[in-house]
Structure formats: structure tokens, C-alpha cells
Amino acid sequence: MDKQPTVTTSSEPSFNKLGKIAESYSDIHKIHLLDAVRNEWTLETIGYDRAIREHYVGVEICLLHMTNRTEQARKKITFEQLDDAFVDIRWLKHLHLLLRSIGRSVQKLATYYGLPDSAKSIAIESSTALKEYLHANQHLESVLLKKVDSWDAETLNTIVGNSSHNDLHYSLLHLFRLMQNDAVKWEAELSNIPVSAVMPEFHVMVPFENLFEAVNTAQLNVDSYYGEFVCLHQIPEVFAAAANDYLEASIRSLRKEDLSTAFEQLDICNVFLENVVKCQAMLSECLTTAEYHLFRENLGVASGTHSIVIAQYLFKDLYKCFWRELEHWLGGPASMQQNIAALHHGRAENTDVWVAQRFINCAFELHNFYEEWRHQHLNLVKNVLGSGGTKSKIGMPDALKAVYSMREKANHDPALCRLYEARGLSMTTYHIQGCIFQTNASPTSVTSRLDALTGLIARDRFQSVQSYSYCPHKPKAQTRTP
Ligand code: HEM
């Protein structure tokens, strides 16, 4: 049985036939390169320009990964591997949806600019990653056209006019058509965005070479969905880092009783988190058990809990701090309920009260993002590790139980619970008396059976992991307490 790998930086890296066995979470997702991009150009930490810039960094990362996937799809169509090409096109379609969502976020942010005479505007047309993607997409389109032209008129008519999604050819063309139309929309959404005069040129703002390195040094030697796995960590890392800064700023503004600013900052934090959640949902929708298992060994002993930006700052430090600060601002546990009721009743009469009420609503929206992220994250763990005691790479005895209890613990934050109570709301985690909950929880339900089977497969494939001992994470960064 294999020995448990150790998390050291001194030992030589190990390899399997797919490529390197990662030495750390940071090594998988090239976090040091993403950090360098963030630190390369000093914007005022929080402000309109920064929010816009981070969105374009996310878009650039997405386009670079899409270029790689597009090339794979083209090769597969060329070699008549249409089933496999279909899977690639499906991933691409989801990545287009992510770009649509980022495009809408940028549009929302643009309304914050608010001045008709912006000195400058930026557009996705300046992106080098876009040029590379378009080039790859053109090649894909030409092999697809060749394929279409190889069919006689009657076959083509039947595929287009008489087929459903049970026809692979139709489904492939359908997805391709949709993603081309999505591209037209996100291109428009990411064009002519006003920024202030101090914003540098696009290539300085979004350094292509550094991002190219971050994306393309994080690949394995074989065609797998490892690239997408990385993409859907890299974009959340970038967006969560920005969300953290806006959340911290909002806490500070709240402390100063500057509520309009606190509201705007929290709202922008939520704009970032919406797309962090989208990435999680896409991964749980697209990545299959086998696709994950193919590269699981290459993940080394890394865990999402090693992410400083997401696990430590967003999920622990700032999370706790925000609910504490909000409770304090609402007069503490004793008077919170009464003050919340007063805000509710007075919201139509006084603008300040209205802003305060909106701020609290926005805080609930923030918690909803945490809830949704964890829901999607649980889906991922069920899909690839299953139930019944599959160990995680850091030796958690039952990975699925561990992520359930992480959610429980977060939702039991005392200040957060008191806020829900004061508003008369209950958390949407699950409805224990609900008939759907009860049905799915039964060991004979399809979901329970699948979770159990996935667990058996995972434990059988990764027997050595089952012998790992628990290796708790020691945070490397200082606690972030604004
Ligand atoms: C197939 C995909 C994934 C699997 C199987 C997975 C598995 C797990 C497991 C088992 C844990 C518990 C800690 C441990 O034992 O390692 C965990 C925690 C965590 N993971 Fe993931 N994860 C996946 C994807 C992601 C992604 C995409 C992110 C972020 C972009 C992420 C971020 C985290 C964080 C922040 C925690 C701590 C959760 C909390 O505090 O509630 N994970 N993950």
C-alpha cells in the first residue's frame, strides 16, 4: 500500500503517467501566480475600477481554459470521436454561461459608475485571450462545417428538422449554436464599460502572459477535465479575494455608521460571490465520478480547506466578523429584534432607515450565497466521493460527513442565528419534516443508493487514501480581523 504523501516543499516532486502529483493546493491552482497578478498593479483596494478589473481577470482565465477545451473538441470532431466531442462542447456551453453571468455582473457594476462623461472605456476586444479563443473557435467551426457538409441534404434535414436530444448530431449542433449566440451576448456585455481616466491599458490591467502561465502550467499530460477543475478554482480564487476586500470594507464602513457606503460595498461583494457560486454549480453539474477519479492522485494531499482566500478569510475570519459587527450595529442581542422591527416599520418614511433596511436584506443575500455554495459543494462531494466513510486526501475519516458538519458549524454561528431569529426567518439548509427531504434520506432512495455506490467505488479505487491519517490544516496566514 502507498505511503501517505507528506506536505513538504523540500522533497522532489513526484509524477505519475498523467503528470505531476501536486505538492499543495497552491501548486494545483498556481495561487502564487494569481496573487502576483493581483498585486502587480496597485489600484485603490476597493472602488469601482478594482471591481471591473477583477471581472476582466476572471474572463481572461475563463477564455484561456476555453481555448484549450475548444482545441480538444476540434481534434475529436476531426477524428470522428463525436461522443467525446459532445462532452467537450457541453463543458464549453457551461463556460459560456459563466461568461454570460460575469457579463451581467459587469453590467450591474457599470451602473455604479453613474457619470455620463466617462474619460475612458474598456472592452473585451482588447483581450489577447479572446483573440486566441476566437482563433481556436474558428478552427472548431470549420471542422464542424466540414462534418455538416459531408451529410447529404436529406440526412441534414432530418437531423435539423426531425430530431430530439437523443440524436447526438442534433445535440452537438444545438449546443454549438447556443454557445455561439451566448458569445455574441457576453461580447456585448463586456464592451464599452466606463472606467476612470487613471485606468491603464487593458494589457496592463489584465496581464495576459502571467495569466497564460497560471492556466497553462496547471495542466496534465493527458486530455482530462483537470483544466476545467483548475479553472473553476482559479476564477473563485480571484473573485473571492475581491469579495473579501469589499466585505472587509463594508464592515469598516458599518463601524463608522457610513451606511450608504457599507451597503454599496456589500452589494459589490455579493456580485462577486454570485459567480463564485456559479463556478461551484457548474463543476457539480459537469464533472463525473470517473473524470474526477482519473486525476485524483494528481491532487496530492491538497484540500479546499488550504485556500487562504476562500476557506480562511471568506469562510472563517470575515464571516464571523461580519455577523458580529452587524449584531453590534443592531444594538446587540438584547435589542436586536426590537431595532429590526423599528427599521422594518420606518423604512418608507425615512431614507436612512430605508438604506439600513436594504443593508440588512443585502446581509441575508450574503448568507444565501454561503448557503448555495455549500449546497453545490456537497453535491460535488456526493458525486465523486460518496457516502459510507470515504476518506478525503487530508485523511478526514468520512469526507461527506465532514462537509455536512462544516456547513452545520458555519450555520450555527451565534450572531447569525440570532439575526435569523430576529427577522423571523429560518435557514434554507433543509426542511427536516419536508417530504422530499424524508424521501431522499431513506437508504432505499436513488440518491442514497448512488451516494453509497460512489463511496464503495472511491474507496476501492483509492485504497491507499483510506489508510491516511488525519492531517489537520495549520493556517499559514494571519487571522483577518478588520
Ligand atoms: C470535486 C471537487 C471537490 C471535492 C471532492 C471537495 C472535497 C472537499 C472535502 C472532502 C472537504 C472537507 C475537508 C477535507 O477533508 O479536505 C472540502 C472542504 C472545502 N472545500 Fe472542497 N471539494 C471540491 C471542490 C472544491 C472547490 C471547487 C472549492 C473552491 C473553489 C472548494 C473549497 C473548499 C473549502 C473552502 C472547504 C472548506 C468548507 C467549509 O468550510 O465549509 N472545494 N472539500
Side-chain angles (χ1 to χ4, degrees):
M1 209 170 263
D2 295 347
K3 254 179 66 215
Q4 176 166 1
T6 45
V7 202
T8 57
T9 44
S10 55
S11 58
E12 286 293 304
S14 323
F15 292 82
N16 63 13
K17 61 180 190 307
L18 271 60
K20 189 177 173 193
I21 315 279
E23 290 168 62
S24 62
Y25 176 86
S26 175
D27 184 27
I28 300 173
H29 305 299
K30 309 298 165 203
I31 302 295
H32 60 291
L33 294 173
L34 299 180
D35 285 348
V37 167
R38 190 164 60 245
N39 300 332
E40 178 162 303
W41 183 54
T42 48
L43 281 168
E44 274 180 49
T45 317
I46 42 133
Y48 169 80
D49 286 347
R50 162 90 193 276
I52 294 292
R53 188 254 186 170
E54 297 307 334
H55 278 84
Y56 280 90
V57 170
V59 169
E60 199 82 344
I61 292 173
C62 196
L63 286 168
L64 282 160
H65 284 284
M66 283 166 76
T67 303
N68 293 342
R69 182 52 53 207
T70 305
E71 280 166 2
Q72 290 300 336
R74 176 189 48 83
K75 281 186 203 154
K76 289 169 195 168
I77 295 176
T78 309
F79 293 109
E80 289 289 327
Q81 299 160 347
L82 293 192
D83 290 355
D84 294 341
F86 175 78
V87 182
D88 286 357
I89 301 281
R90 192 166 172 272
W91 274 98
L92 280 169
K93 169 72 179 97
H94 279 270
L95 289 163
H96 278 281
L97 285 179
L98 178 62
L99 286 183
R100 284 290 331 277
S101 177
I102 299 176
R104 283 196 302 279
S105 298
V106 168
Q107 287 296 313
K108 173 171 176 174
L109 288 172
T111 63
Y112 273 126
Y113 190 77
L115 299 174
D117 53 349
S118 83
K120 227 175 180 172
S121 68
I122 57 165
I124 192 63
E125 282 77 17
S126 314
S127 148
T128 310
L130 179 69
K131 290 186 186 80
E132 302 232 330
Y133 166 71
L134 290 179
H135 188 65
N137 194 54
Q138 230 167 30
H139 282 154
L140 171 63
E141 188 157 7
S142 58
V143 295
L144 205 54
L145 274 178
K146 225 166 155 183
K147 180 90 207 115
V148 168
D149 289 340
S150 72
W151 295 321
D152 59 49
E154 199 189 329
T155 312
L156 188 57
N157 272 357
T158 308
I159 292 170
V160 176
N162 289 328
S163 306
S164 181
H165 282 290
N166 59 4
D167 182 312
L168 175 67
H169 294 139
Y170 178 79
S171 257
L172 199 90
L173 291 174
H174 179 82
L175 282 183
F176 188 78
R177 170 156 71 181
L178 285 177
M179 73 187 210
Q180 298 305 94
N181 283 336
D182 281 344
V184 170
K185 190 76 172 115
W186 57 249
E187 181 184 43
E189 285 162 342
L190 296 168
S191 293
N192 298 323
I193 302 302
V195 286
S196 56
V198 293
M199 275 292 250
E201 294 311 308
F202 192 95
H203 69 278
V204 180
M205 185 179 78
V206 181
F208 172 76
E209 281 77 18
N210 308 37
L211 293 169
F212 181 88
E213 190 184 345
V215 168
N216 287 303
T217 54
Q219 305 293 335
L220 296 177
N221 308 328
V222 291
D223 177 32
S224 71
Y225 297 102
Y226 183 82
E228 282 70 13
F229 178 81
V230 170
C231 173
L232 297 172
H233 280 80
Q234 286 184 333
I235 298 173
E237 282 285 336
V238 171
F239 286 1
N244 286 339
D245 291 349
Y246 285 87
L247 187 55
E248 175 167 343
S250 180
I251 293 170
R252 290 180 190 277
S253 302
L254 182 66
R255 208 172 279 156
K256 286 192 276 179
E257 301 269 335
D258 179 358
L259 217 55
S260 318
T261 310
F263 171 71
E264 190 168 307
Q265 288 158 341
L266 186 58
D267 195 33
I268 295 178
C269 162
N270 284 346
V271 170
F272 279 107
L273 292 184
E274 184 166 352
N275 288 314
V276 172
V277 168
K278 285 256 156 57
C279 290
Q280 201 69 353
M282 190 201 306
L283 200 55
S284 70
E285 161 89 29
C286 294
L287 189 71
T288 69
T289 313
E291 286 161 359
Y292 175 78
H293 287 183
L294 178 70
F295 58 72
R296 190 179 185 215
E297 190 183 5
N298 295 79
L299 303 177
V301 284
S303 158
T305 53
H306 301 164
S307 160
I308 292 172
V309 160
I310 304 175
Q312 185 181 331
Y313 293 159
L314 184 64
F315 279 30
K316 280 205 192 94
D317 299 353
L318 293 171
Y319 181 81
K320 280 194 204 133
C321 188
F322 180 79
W323 305 119
R324 251 198 333 256
E325 199 64 39
L326 184 59
E327 183 173 65
H328 178 74
W329 172 71
L330 283 166
S335 11
M336 189 160 59
Q337 190 146 7
Q338 198 186 332
N339 288 338
I340 280 190
L343 291 176
H344 177 73
H345 293 306
R347 71 193 189 284
E349 270 109 59
N350 176 314
T351 321
D352 289 344
V353 175
W354 184 83
V355 175
Q357 175 79 356
R358 290 288 294 121
F359 183 78
I360 301 171
N361 292 349
C362 207
F364 277 100
E365 197 185 338
L366 171 73
H367 184 254
N368 283 336
F369 285 129
Y370 282 101
E371 227 352 85
E372 186 57 22
W373 186 93
R374 287 199 160 92
H375 171 71
Q376 296 296 352
H377 185 251
L378 265 161
N379 276 342
L380 267 171
V381 181
K382 279 162 167 272
N383 291 351
V384 302
L385 300 179
S387 62
T390 310
K391 274 200 180 179
S392 73
K393 298 300 282 295
I394 58 166
M396 280 280 190
D398 186 326
L400 186 55
K401 273 195 186 147
V403 287
Y404 269 119
S405 60
M406 283 171 157
R407 176 172 76 176
E408 288 296 305
K409 195 172 162 215
N411 282 345
H412 276 91
D413 179 274
L416 172 72
C417 290
R418 287 191 289 265
L419 182 71
Y420 265 87
E421 209 182 315
R423 260 279 178 102
L425 293 172
S426 47
M427 285 191 204
T428 58
T429 315
Y430 48 80
H431 175 38
I432 207 141
Q433 277 95 29
C435 56
I436 301 174
F437 175 82
Q438 302 276 345
T439 310
N440 280 352
S442 149
T444 56
S445 73
V446 172
T447 56
S448 296
R449 295 267 306 273
L450 278 177
D451 290 352
L453 182 59
T454 307
L456 283 174
I457 294 168
R459 292 192 292 281
D460 185 48
R461 280 196 184 141
F462 300 97
Q463 291 176 18
S464 60
V465 175
Q466 288 306 112
S467 67
Y468 287 5
S469 38
Y470 177 51
C471 180
H473 176 55
K474 296 182 197 76
K476 290 208 177 78
Q478 279 194 336
T479 312
R480 187 165 171 175
T481 42

